[in-house]
Amino acid sequence: MRKFIVFFLVLFLVFNFEKHVLANEPDISAEAAILIDANTGTILYEKNTHSKMFPASTTKILTAIIAIEKGNLEQKITVDKETPYEIKGSHISLEPDEVLTMKDLVYATLIESANDAATVIGKQISGSTEKFTKLMNSKAKEIGAKNSNFVNASGLHDDNHYTTAHDLAMIAKYAMENDLFRDIVSLYTYKIEPTNKKSDSRTLWSSNKLLYSTDKINVDGKNVTIKYDGIIGVKTGYTPEAQSCLVASAERNGQRLISVVLKTTGNNVFIDTHKLLNYGFDNFSSARLAFKNEFIDNIDVENGDKPIVTGIVGNDLYSLVPKGKENEVKRNIVLPEKISAPISKGQVIGKIELKLDDKIIDTVNIVSAMEINQKATFDVIAMNSKDSIFKKWWLWLIILVVGWRISVEFRRRRIRRRRKSYLYR
Protein backbone atom coordinates (compact mmCIF):
# COMPACT_ATOMS: atom_id res chain seq x y z
CA MET A 1 0.00 0.00 0.00
CA ARG A 2 2.83 2.36 0.87
CA LYS A 3 4.53 1.74 -2.51
CA PHE A 4 1.22 2.36 -4.24
CA ILE A 5 0.83 5.76 -2.54
CA VAL A 6 4.43 6.73 -3.31
CA PHE A 7 3.95 5.79 -6.97
CA PHE A 8 0.90 8.02 -7.35
CA LEU A 9 2.58 10.85 -5.44
CA VAL A 10 5.53 10.77 -7.84
CA LEU A 11 3.16 10.58 -10.81
CA PHE A 12 1.27 13.60 -9.48
CA LEU A 13 4.47 15.63 -9.02
CA VAL A 14 5.77 14.75 -12.49
CA PHE A 15 2.45 15.64 -14.09
CA ASN A 16 2.26 18.97 -12.29
CA PHE A 17 5.92 19.75 -13.04
CA GLU A 18 5.30 19.13 -16.75
CA LYS A 19 2.16 21.21 -16.56
CA HIS A 20 4.14 24.03 -14.92
CA VAL A 21 6.85 23.91 -17.60
CA LEU A 22 4.38 23.83 -20.46
CA ALA A 23 2.36 26.65 -18.90
CA ASN A 24 5.37 28.89 -19.35
CA GLU A 25 5.09 28.60 -23.13
CA PRO A 26 2.52 30.79 -24.91
CA ASP A 27 -0.82 29.37 -25.99
CA ILE A 28 -0.88 30.19 -29.70
CA SER A 29 -4.07 30.01 -31.78
CA ALA A 30 -2.30 30.19 -35.16
CA GLU A 31 -1.77 26.98 -37.10
CA ALA A 32 1.97 27.64 -37.37
CA ALA A 33 4.28 29.98 -35.47
CA ILE A 34 7.90 30.58 -34.57
CA LEU A 35 9.98 32.93 -32.44
CA ILE A 36 13.70 33.43 -33.08
CA ASP A 37 16.62 35.50 -31.89
CA ALA A 38 17.00 37.99 -34.74
CA ASN A 39 20.77 38.15 -34.29
CA THR A 40 21.59 34.45 -34.30
CA GLY A 41 18.50 32.70 -35.65
CA THR A 42 18.23 30.58 -32.50
CA ILE A 43 14.69 29.19 -32.19
CA LEU A 44 13.01 30.18 -28.90
CA TYR A 45 9.53 28.81 -29.65
CA GLU A 46 8.06 26.77 -32.48
CA LYS A 47 4.74 25.31 -33.56
CA ASN A 48 4.45 23.42 -36.84
CA THR A 49 7.44 25.41 -38.07
CA HIS A 50 8.09 23.24 -41.12
CA SER A 51 4.47 22.75 -42.18
CA LYS A 52 3.59 23.93 -45.68
CA MET A 53 1.63 27.21 -45.38
CA PHE A 54 0.35 29.99 -47.63
CA PRO A 55 2.22 33.25 -46.88
CA ALA A 56 -0.15 35.81 -48.45
CA SER A 57 1.43 39.29 -48.50
CA THR A 58 4.31 38.36 -46.17
CA THR A 59 5.74 37.26 -49.54
CA LYS A 60 6.49 40.93 -50.14
CA ILE A 61 9.33 40.82 -47.59
CA LEU A 62 11.33 38.81 -50.12
CA THR A 63 10.17 40.91 -53.08
CA ALA A 64 11.21 44.15 -51.39
CA ILE A 65 14.64 43.02 -50.18
CA ILE A 66 15.47 41.83 -53.70
CA ALA A 67 14.35 45.21 -55.06
CA ILE A 68 16.51 47.07 -52.54
CA GLU A 69 19.56 44.94 -53.32
CA LYS A 70 19.24 44.74 -57.10
CA GLY A 71 17.29 47.84 -58.07
CA ASN A 72 18.14 51.53 -58.27
CA LEU A 73 15.74 53.26 -55.90
CA GLU A 74 16.00 56.56 -57.75
CA GLN A 75 15.27 54.98 -61.14
CA LYS A 76 12.05 56.14 -62.81
CA ILE A 77 9.90 53.19 -63.84
CA THR A 78 7.05 53.20 -66.34
CA VAL A 79 4.14 50.95 -65.43
CA ASP A 80 3.43 48.35 -68.11
CA LYS A 81 0.01 48.14 -69.76
CA GLU A 82 -1.01 44.75 -68.32
CA THR A 83 -0.33 44.94 -64.57
CA PRO A 84 -3.06 47.49 -63.60
CA TYR A 85 -5.74 45.22 -65.07
CA GLU A 86 -4.51 41.78 -64.03
CA ILE A 87 -3.88 42.37 -60.32
CA LYS A 88 -6.46 41.73 -57.61
CA GLY A 89 -6.51 42.66 -53.94
CA SER A 90 -4.64 45.53 -52.32
CA HIS A 91 -3.28 48.12 -54.76
CA ILE A 92 -2.40 51.80 -55.20
CA SER A 93 -4.33 52.24 -58.46
CA LEU A 94 -1.36 52.26 -60.79
CA GLU A 95 -2.18 53.20 -64.37
CA PRO A 96 -0.58 52.09 -67.65
CA ASP A 97 2.40 54.29 -68.54
CA GLU A 98 2.40 55.91 -65.10
CA VAL A 99 5.93 56.86 -64.01
CA LEU A 100 7.12 56.34 -60.43
CA THR A 101 10.46 55.76 -58.79
CA MET A 102 11.57 52.32 -57.61
CA LYS A 103 11.61 53.85 -54.11
CA ASP A 104 7.89 54.68 -54.29
CA LEU A 105 7.12 51.14 -55.48
CA VAL A 106 9.11 49.55 -52.67
CA TYR A 107 7.43 51.72 -50.02
CA ALA A 108 4.02 50.92 -51.54
CA THR A 109 4.85 47.21 -51.49
CA LEU A 110 5.86 47.12 -47.83
CA ILE A 111 3.57 49.75 -46.28
CA GLU A 112 0.35 49.64 -48.34
CA SER A 113 0.98 46.01 -49.34
CA ALA A 114 0.21 46.96 -52.94
CA ASN A 115 0.02 43.95 -55.24
CA ASP A 116 0.32 46.11 -58.36
CA ALA A 117 3.51 47.77 -57.06
CA ALA A 118 5.08 44.41 -56.17
CA THR A 119 4.29 43.02 -59.61
CA VAL A 120 5.79 46.03 -61.40
CA ILE A 121 8.95 45.64 -59.29
CA GLY A 122 9.31 42.02 -60.36
CA LYS A 123 8.85 42.81 -64.03
CA GLN A 124 11.28 45.73 -63.85
CA ILE A 125 14.06 43.72 -62.21
CA SER A 126 13.76 40.47 -64.16
CA GLY A 127 11.70 41.28 -67.25
CA SER A 128 8.74 39.10 -66.29
CA THR A 129 6.99 37.68 -63.25
CA GLU A 130 8.14 34.17 -64.17
CA LYS A 131 11.80 35.17 -64.28
CA PHE A 132 11.47 37.18 -61.08
CA THR A 133 10.02 34.22 -59.17
CA LYS A 134 13.01 32.15 -60.23
CA LEU A 135 15.15 34.85 -58.63
CA MET A 136 12.94 34.80 -55.53
CA ASN A 137 13.27 31.04 -55.12
CA SER A 138 17.01 31.16 -55.65
CA LYS A 139 17.38 33.95 -53.09
CA ALA A 140 15.18 32.12 -50.59
CA LYS A 141 17.36 29.02 -50.74
CA GLU A 142 20.49 31.15 -50.39
CA ILE A 143 19.03 32.68 -47.23
CA GLY A 144 18.16 29.27 -45.79
CA ALA A 145 14.47 29.11 -46.71
CA LYS A 146 14.63 25.72 -48.42
CA ASN A 147 11.01 24.57 -48.13
CA SER A 148 9.35 27.43 -49.99
CA ASN A 149 8.12 28.00 -53.52
CA PHE A 150 7.06 31.38 -54.85
CA VAL A 151 5.14 31.86 -58.11
CA ASN A 152 4.37 35.59 -57.88
CA ALA A 153 5.81 38.74 -56.31
CA SER A 154 2.72 39.76 -54.33
CA GLY A 155 1.55 36.70 -52.41
CA LEU A 156 -1.83 36.39 -54.15
CA HIS A 157 -3.07 32.85 -53.62
CA ASP A 158 -1.79 30.00 -55.73
CA ASP A 159 -1.68 26.38 -54.57
CA ASN A 160 1.98 26.24 -55.63
CA HIS A 161 2.89 29.42 -53.75
CA TYR A 162 3.87 28.34 -50.25
CA THR A 163 6.40 28.62 -47.46
CA THR A 164 6.88 27.65 -43.79
CA ALA A 165 7.04 29.61 -40.55
CA HIS A 166 10.73 28.74 -40.29
CA ASP A 167 11.47 29.90 -43.84
CA LEU A 168 9.66 33.21 -43.34
CA ALA A 169 11.64 33.80 -40.15
CA MET A 170 14.89 33.24 -42.06
CA ILE A 171 13.78 35.60 -44.84
CA ALA A 172 12.75 38.26 -42.30
CA LYS A 173 16.01 37.86 -40.37
CA TYR A 174 17.98 38.44 -43.58
CA ALA A 175 15.85 41.41 -44.68
CA MET A 176 15.99 43.11 -41.27
CA GLU A 177 19.79 43.19 -41.47
CA ASN A 178 19.37 45.77 -44.26
CA ASP A 179 19.19 49.32 -42.86
CA LEU A 180 16.84 50.67 -45.53
CA PHE A 181 14.46 47.74 -45.32
CA ARG A 182 14.37 48.08 -41.53
CA ASP A 183 13.64 51.82 -41.81
CA ILE A 184 10.76 51.26 -44.24
CA VAL A 185 8.93 48.57 -42.25
CA SER A 186 9.15 50.66 -39.09
CA LEU A 187 6.87 53.27 -40.75
CA TYR A 188 3.10 53.06 -40.88
CA THR A 189 2.54 55.83 -43.41
CA TYR A 190 4.20 57.24 -46.53
CA LYS A 191 3.25 59.76 -49.22
CA ILE A 192 3.71 59.28 -52.97
CA GLU A 193 3.80 62.64 -54.70
CA PRO A 194 1.69 63.37 -57.84
CA THR A 195 2.78 61.59 -61.01
CA ASN A 196 2.19 62.05 -64.73
CA LYS A 197 -1.09 60.16 -64.29
CA LYS A 198 -2.21 61.33 -60.85
CA SER A 199 -2.69 64.99 -59.95
CA ASP A 200 -3.03 64.30 -56.23
CA SER A 201 -0.56 62.70 -53.85
CA ARG A 202 -1.28 59.23 -52.45
CA THR A 203 -0.95 58.55 -48.73
CA LEU A 204 -0.12 54.97 -47.85
CA TRP A 205 -1.14 53.31 -44.58
CA SER A 206 0.19 50.13 -43.05
CA SER A 207 -2.11 47.37 -41.79
CA ASN A 208 0.50 46.42 -39.18
CA LYS A 209 -1.40 47.74 -36.16
CA LEU A 210 1.50 46.78 -33.89
CA LEU A 211 3.08 50.05 -35.03
CA TYR A 212 0.28 52.45 -34.08
CA SER A 213 -3.09 51.09 -32.98
CA THR A 214 -4.59 52.06 -29.60
CA ASP A 215 -7.34 49.45 -29.95
CA LYS A 216 -7.43 46.98 -27.08
CA ILE A 217 -6.82 43.24 -27.17
CA ASN A 218 -6.81 40.69 -24.37
CA VAL A 219 -3.42 39.05 -23.89
CA ASP A 220 -3.25 36.44 -21.13
CA GLY A 221 -6.07 38.09 -19.21
CA LYS A 222 -4.78 41.65 -19.58
CA ASN A 223 -6.29 44.34 -21.80
CA VAL A 224 -3.48 46.04 -23.70
CA THR A 225 -3.16 48.16 -26.82
CA ILE A 226 -2.34 46.41 -30.08
CA LYS A 227 0.64 48.75 -30.45
CA TYR A 228 3.61 46.87 -29.06
CA ASP A 229 6.43 48.48 -27.11
CA GLY A 230 9.66 48.13 -29.09
CA ILE A 231 8.08 47.05 -32.39
CA ILE A 232 10.23 47.77 -35.46
CA GLY A 233 8.26 45.96 -38.25
CA VAL A 234 7.61 43.86 -40.31
CA LYS A 235 4.69 42.74 -42.57
CA THR A 236 1.09 41.56 -42.45
CA GLY A 237 -0.72 39.31 -44.90
CA TYR A 238 -4.20 38.02 -45.65
CA THR A 239 -6.01 35.91 -48.22
CA PRO A 240 -9.07 33.71 -47.62
CA GLU A 241 -6.84 30.64 -47.98
CA ALA A 242 -3.93 31.88 -45.86
CA GLN A 243 -6.15 33.76 -43.38
CA SER A 244 -4.38 36.32 -41.19
CA CYS A 245 -0.57 36.20 -41.16
CA LEU A 246 2.02 38.42 -39.52
CA VAL A 247 5.79 38.59 -39.40
CA ALA A 248 6.91 40.93 -36.62
CA SER A 249 10.14 42.16 -35.08
CA ALA A 250 10.70 43.97 -31.80
CA GLU A 251 13.72 45.20 -29.86
CA ARG A 252 14.23 45.90 -26.16
CA ASN A 253 17.48 46.57 -24.33
CA GLY A 254 19.54 45.41 -27.30
CA GLN A 255 17.59 42.16 -27.54
CA ARG A 256 15.91 41.72 -30.94
CA LEU A 257 13.28 39.10 -31.73
CA ILE A 258 11.41 37.98 -34.85
CA SER A 259 8.05 36.22 -34.67
CA VAL A 260 5.97 34.59 -37.40
CA VAL A 261 2.26 33.78 -37.05
CA LEU A 262 0.51 31.97 -39.91
CA LYS A 263 -3.15 31.15 -40.41
CA THR A 264 -5.28 32.61 -37.67
CA THR A 265 -8.29 34.92 -37.59
CA GLY A 266 -8.99 38.56 -36.78
CA ASN A 267 -7.10 40.14 -33.91
CA ASN A 268 -5.72 36.75 -32.89
CA VAL A 269 -2.84 37.52 -35.24
CA PHE A 270 -1.85 40.43 -32.95
CA ILE A 271 -2.66 38.55 -29.74
CA ASP A 272 -0.45 35.62 -30.79
CA THR A 273 2.33 38.01 -31.75
CA HIS A 274 2.13 39.76 -28.36
CA LYS A 275 2.30 36.39 -26.62
CA LEU A 276 5.34 35.28 -28.61
CA LEU A 277 7.28 38.49 -28.16
CA ASN A 278 6.39 38.68 -24.45
CA TYR A 279 7.55 35.09 -24.03
CA GLY A 280 10.89 35.93 -25.61
CA PHE A 281 11.55 39.08 -23.61
CA ASP A 282 10.28 37.62 -20.32
CA ASN A 283 12.08 34.28 -20.45
CA PHE A 284 15.35 34.83 -22.28
CA SER A 285 18.33 37.06 -21.65
CA SER A 286 21.35 37.92 -23.75
CA ALA A 287 24.45 36.14 -22.47
CA ARG A 288 28.02 36.62 -23.62
CA LEU A 289 29.10 33.09 -24.49
CA ALA A 290 32.45 33.81 -26.14
CA PHE A 291 35.02 36.60 -26.07
CA LYS A 292 36.91 37.87 -29.10
CA ASN A 293 40.63 36.87 -29.02
CA GLU A 294 40.00 34.41 -26.17
CA PHE A 295 42.73 31.72 -26.23
CA ILE A 296 41.44 28.23 -27.07
CA ASP A 297 44.39 25.94 -27.86
CA ASN A 298 47.66 25.44 -29.71
CA ILE A 299 47.54 23.13 -32.73
CA ASP A 300 50.46 21.29 -34.32
CA VAL A 301 51.44 22.60 -37.74
CA GLU A 302 52.81 20.45 -40.56
CA ASN A 303 55.40 21.93 -42.93
CA GLY A 304 55.32 25.32 -41.20
CA ASP A 305 58.02 27.76 -40.23
CA LYS A 306 56.51 27.56 -36.72
CA PRO A 307 55.64 24.28 -34.99
CA ILE A 308 52.25 25.37 -33.65
CA VAL A 309 49.44 27.78 -34.43
CA THR A 310 47.42 29.48 -31.70
CA GLY A 311 43.65 29.25 -32.04
CA ILE A 312 41.53 32.10 -30.64
CA VAL A 313 37.85 33.07 -30.72
CA GLY A 314 37.09 35.07 -33.85
CA ASN A 315 34.50 37.42 -32.41
CA ASP A 316 32.35 38.18 -29.38
CA LEU A 317 29.26 36.00 -29.24
CA TYR A 318 26.05 37.03 -27.52
CA SER A 319 23.11 34.66 -27.60
CA LEU A 320 19.69 34.43 -26.00
CA VAL A 321 19.60 31.89 -23.19
CA PRO A 322 16.71 30.94 -20.89
CA LYS A 323 16.94 33.11 -17.78
CA GLY A 324 18.67 31.26 -14.96
CA LYS A 325 20.47 28.89 -17.32
CA GLU A 326 23.29 31.19 -18.38
CA ASN A 327 25.83 29.13 -16.43
CA GLU A 328 24.59 25.81 -17.84
CA VAL A 329 25.81 26.48 -21.37
CA LYS A 330 28.57 24.02 -22.29
CA ARG A 331 31.26 24.23 -24.95
CA ASN A 332 32.20 21.62 -27.50
CA ILE A 333 35.49 22.65 -29.13
CA VAL A 334 35.96 21.28 -32.64
CA LEU A 335 39.60 21.49 -33.79
CA PRO A 336 41.83 19.35 -36.04
CA GLU A 337 44.73 17.49 -34.40
CA LYS A 338 47.11 19.17 -36.82
CA ILE A 339 46.93 21.61 -39.68
CA SER A 340 49.16 22.17 -42.71
CA ALA A 341 50.91 25.43 -43.59
CA PRO A 342 50.47 27.96 -45.02
CA ILE A 343 47.99 29.50 -42.57
CA SER A 344 46.90 33.13 -42.74
CA LYS A 345 46.13 35.26 -39.70
CA GLY A 346 42.39 35.19 -39.03
CA GLN A 347 41.89 31.98 -41.01
CA VAL A 348 39.08 29.79 -39.65
CA ILE A 349 40.64 26.63 -38.22
CA GLY A 350 37.80 25.30 -36.06
CA LYS A 351 34.64 26.18 -34.17
CA ILE A 352 33.03 26.16 -30.75
CA GLU A 353 29.55 24.66 -30.42
CA LEU A 354 27.58 26.18 -27.53
CA LYS A 355 25.21 23.58 -26.12
CA LEU A 356 22.34 23.77 -23.68
CA ASP A 357 20.39 20.67 -22.66
CA ASP A 358 22.36 18.73 -25.30
CA LYS A 359 21.17 21.06 -28.09
CA ILE A 360 23.45 23.35 -30.07
CA ILE A 361 22.17 26.88 -29.51
CA ASP A 362 24.95 28.72 -31.35
CA THR A 363 28.43 28.41 -32.84
CA VAL A 364 31.46 30.68 -33.11
CA ASN A 365 34.59 30.35 -35.24
CA ILE A 366 38.07 29.63 -33.92
CA VAL A 367 40.64 31.50 -35.99
CA SER A 368 44.42 31.59 -36.29
CA ALA A 369 46.13 34.25 -34.19
CA MET A 370 49.18 34.32 -36.45
CA GLU A 371 50.50 33.79 -39.94
CA ILE A 372 52.36 30.53 -40.59
CA ASN A 373 54.43 30.25 -43.75
CA GLN A 374 55.25 27.00 -45.45
CA LYS A 375 58.70 25.70 -44.58
CA ALA A 376 60.60 25.98 -47.84
CA THR A 377 63.44 23.53 -47.09
CA PHE A 378 64.29 20.63 -49.33
CA ASP A 379 63.82 17.96 -46.67
CA VAL A 380 60.28 19.12 -45.88
CA ILE A 381 59.20 19.51 -49.46
CA ALA A 382 60.80 16.29 -50.65
CA MET A 383 60.79 13.97 -47.66
CA ASN A 384 57.57 14.79 -45.81
CA SER A 385 55.25 14.68 -48.78
CA LYS A 386 52.87 11.73 -48.62
CA ASP A 387 53.68 10.71 -52.20
CA SER A 388 57.34 11.73 -52.04
CA ILE A 389 59.63 9.80 -54.39
CA PHE A 390 62.04 9.48 -51.46
CA LYS A 391 59.62 7.07 -49.84
CA LYS A 392 59.91 4.59 -52.76
CA TRP A 393 62.02 1.50 -51.95
CA TRP A 394 63.32 1.16 -55.50
CA LEU A 395 64.78 4.67 -55.43
CA TRP A 396 66.94 3.80 -52.44
CA LEU A 397 68.05 0.57 -54.21
CA ILE A 398 69.13 2.62 -57.20
CA ILE A 399 70.96 5.09 -54.93
CA LEU A 400 72.82 2.20 -53.24
CA VAL A 401 73.78 0.61 -56.56
CA VAL A 402 74.90 3.91 -58.04
CA GLY A 403 76.80 4.72 -54.86
CA TRP A 404 78.50 1.33 -54.94
CA ARG A 405 79.47 1.78 -58.64
CA ILE A 406 80.87 5.25 -57.90
CA SER A 407 82.86 3.84 -54.99
CA VAL A 408 84.25 0.99 -57.15
CA GLU A 409 85.17 3.39 -59.93
CA PHE A 410 86.85 5.71 -57.46
CA ARG A 411 88.98 2.85 -56.08
CA ARG A 412 89.97 1.74 -59.62
CA ARG A 413 91.11 5.23 -60.55
CA ARG A 414 93.12 5.53 -57.37
CA ILE A 415 94.88 2.18 -58.15
CA ARG A 416 95.67 3.30 -61.71
CA ARG A 417 97.17 6.55 -60.46
CA ARG A 418 99.42 4.62 -58.06
CA ARG A 419 100.62 2.30 -60.86
CA LYS A 420 101.52 5.24 -63.07
CA SER A 421 103.49 6.82 -60.27
CA TYR A 422 105.60 3.60 -59.90
CA LEU A 423 106.41 3.53 -63.64
CA TYR A 424 107.90 7.03 -63.60
CA ARG A 425 110.09 6.62 -60.55
Side-chain angles (χ1 to χ4, degrees):
M1 183 67 180
R2 186 177 178 183
K3 290 182 179 179
F4 184 76
I5 294 172
V6 170
F7 170 77
F8 273 97
L9 181 61
V10 171
L11 190 65
F12 174 80
L13 290 173
V14 169
F15 174 76
N16 279 276
F17 174 75
E18 181 181 3
K19 201 172 168 188
H20 172 73
V21 171
L22 294 177
N24 195 35
E25 289 197 340
D27 179 22
I28 301 301
S29 67
E31 191 167 312
I34 193 171
L35 177 71
I36 68 168
D37 177 352
N39 294 318
T40 66
T42 301
I43 297 173
L44 309 179
Y45 171 90
E46 54 185 331
K47 176 183 179 181
N48 299 327
T49 51
H50 297 292
S51 296
K52 177 178 167 182
M53 307 293 292
F54 299 126
S57 285
T58 59
T59 297
K60 296 184 176 84
I61 296 172
L62 183 57
T63 299
I65 192 60
I66 291 174
I68 290 170
E69 290 182 343
K70 291 189 172 293
N72 176 0
L73 295 184
E74 301 307 318
Q75 180 184 6
K76 293 186 180 298
I77 296 168
T78 302
V79 178
D80 62 281
K81 290 178 169 52
E82 293 80 22
T83 297
Y85 303 110
E86 64 187 13
I87 290 300
K88 301 176 183 178
S90 177
H91 60 83
I92 56 169
S93 300
L94 291 178
E95 295 186 31
D97 297 324
E98 185 173 4
V99 179
L100 301 92
T101 63
M102 176 66 84
K103 177 182 177 181
D104 286 338
L105 293 172
V106 171
Y107 275 73
T109 296
L110 287 173
I111 295 176
E112 187 70 29
S113 196
N115 295 331
D116 49 0
T119 302
V120 171
I121 285 174
K123 290 180 178 180
Q124 175 64 30
I125 289 177
S126 298
S128 70
T129 295
E130 292 73 20
K131 290 180 180 179
F132 185 68
T133 56
K134 288 182 179 178
L135 178 59
M136 291 175 72
N137 289 316
S138 174
K139 186 67 177 179
K141 286 181 173 57
E142 177 190 324
I143 292 169
K146 299 180 180 179
N147 296 306
S148 300
N149 187 62
F150 301 99
V151 299
N152 60 60
S154 63
L156 281 171
H157 180 72
D158 187 295
D159 286 344
N160 290 318
H161 188 98
Y162 57 83
T163 187
T164 68
H166 174 270
D167 283 6
L168 268 181
M170 294 302 102
I171 292 169
K173 176 182 180 298
Y174 175 84
M176 289 295 284
E177 290 168 0
N178 183 284
D179 292 341
L180 178 58
F181 181 94
R182 197 166 57 251
D183 288 343
I184 296 172
V185 295
S186 67
L187 302 174
Y188 59 85
T189 187
Y190 177 77
K191 183 182 288 187
I192 297 178
E193 297 301 331
T195 67
N196 61 319
K197 293 288 184 176
K198 293 284 196 295
S199 57
D200 296 324
S201 60
R202 279 171 283 198
T203 301
L204 313 179
W205 294 95
S206 172
S207 59
N208 186 2
K209 294 182 180 181
L210 295 173
L211 293 166
Y212 59 85
S213 178
T214 57
D215 292 344
K216 299 287 185 175
I217 53 175
N218 187 284
V219 180
D220 295 327
K222 296 179 181 179
N223 286 324
V224 298
T225 61
I226 294 179
K227 182 179 179 180
Y228 192 83
D229 180 30
I231 199 73
I232 52 176
V234 179
K235 186 75 188 72
T236 60
Y238 175 83
T239 64
E241 297 82 3
Q243 296 186 34
S244 293
C245 307
L246 176 57
V247 179
S249 183
E251 184 174 15
R252 292 180 185 172
N253 302 318
Q255 184 175 325
R256 184 179 296 175
L257 305 175
I258 291 174
S259 65
V260 178
V261 172
L262 297 176
K263 200 171 187 181
T264 188
T265 57
N267 278 341
N268 283 331
V269 75
F270 300 115
I271 294 172
D272 283 350
T273 299
H274 270 249
K275 288 181 178 180
L276 286 171
L277 295 174
N278 288 345
Y279 174 71
F281 290 126
D282 291 345
N283 293 280
F284 296 85
S285 62
S286 181
R288 191 176 188 180
L289 302 181
F291 299 80
K292 185 177 181 180
N293 297 328
E294 176 187 352
F295 170 78
I296 299 300
D297 204 351
N298 289 320
I299 308 163
D300 292 335
V301 176
E302 288 184 328
N303 306 340
D305 59 358
K306 297 182 182 69
I308 59 171
V309 61
T310 299
I312 59 174
V313 175
N315 54 272
D316 290 329
L317 176 66
Y318 292 86
S319 190
L320 294 186
V321 179
K323 290 181 179 179
K325 287 197 169 187
E326 294 87 350
N327 295 327
E328 296 179 27
V329 178
K330 297 180 180 178
R331 290 183 170 193
N332 179 36
I333 296 174
V334 182
L335 280 172
E337 290 184 4
K338 58 182 64 177
I339 187 171
S340 297
I343 304 166
S344 58
K345 185 176 181 180
Q347 177 180 325
V348 175
I349 56 177
K351 66 179 179 179
I352 303 175
E353 296 174 339
L354 288 308
K355 304 181 78 173
L356 182 64
D357 298 330
D358 293 326
K359 292 182 180 179
I360 297 174
I361 60 172
D362 218 330
T363 61
V364 64
N365 287 331
I366 299 172
V367 302
S368 168
M370 62 189 76
E371 181 178 339
I372 308 288
N373 296 313
Q374 191 169 20
K375 194 173 182 180
T377 57
F378 177 79
D379 60 322
V380 169
I381 296 171
M383 299 294 290
N384 289 352
S385 174
K386 182 180 178 182
D387 298 320
S388 172
I389 193 172
F390 289 95
K391 293 187 178 181
K392 309 296 183 182
W393 65 269
W394 48 264
L395 176 65
W396 291 105
L397 180 60
I398 291 173
I399 291 172
L400 288 172
V401 171
V402 171
W404 176 75
R405 289 295 302 167
I406 292 172
S407 177
V408 169
E409 185 63 28
F410 178 76
R411 285 199 299 271
R412 285 178 178 174
R413 290 185 180 182
R414 190 168 57 182
I415 291 170
R416 283 199 295 268
R417 282 198 299 270
R418 285 178 181 175
R419 286 177 180 174
K420 286 182 180 180
S421 66
Y422 283 124
L423 290 176
Y424 291 100
R425 278 182 181 178

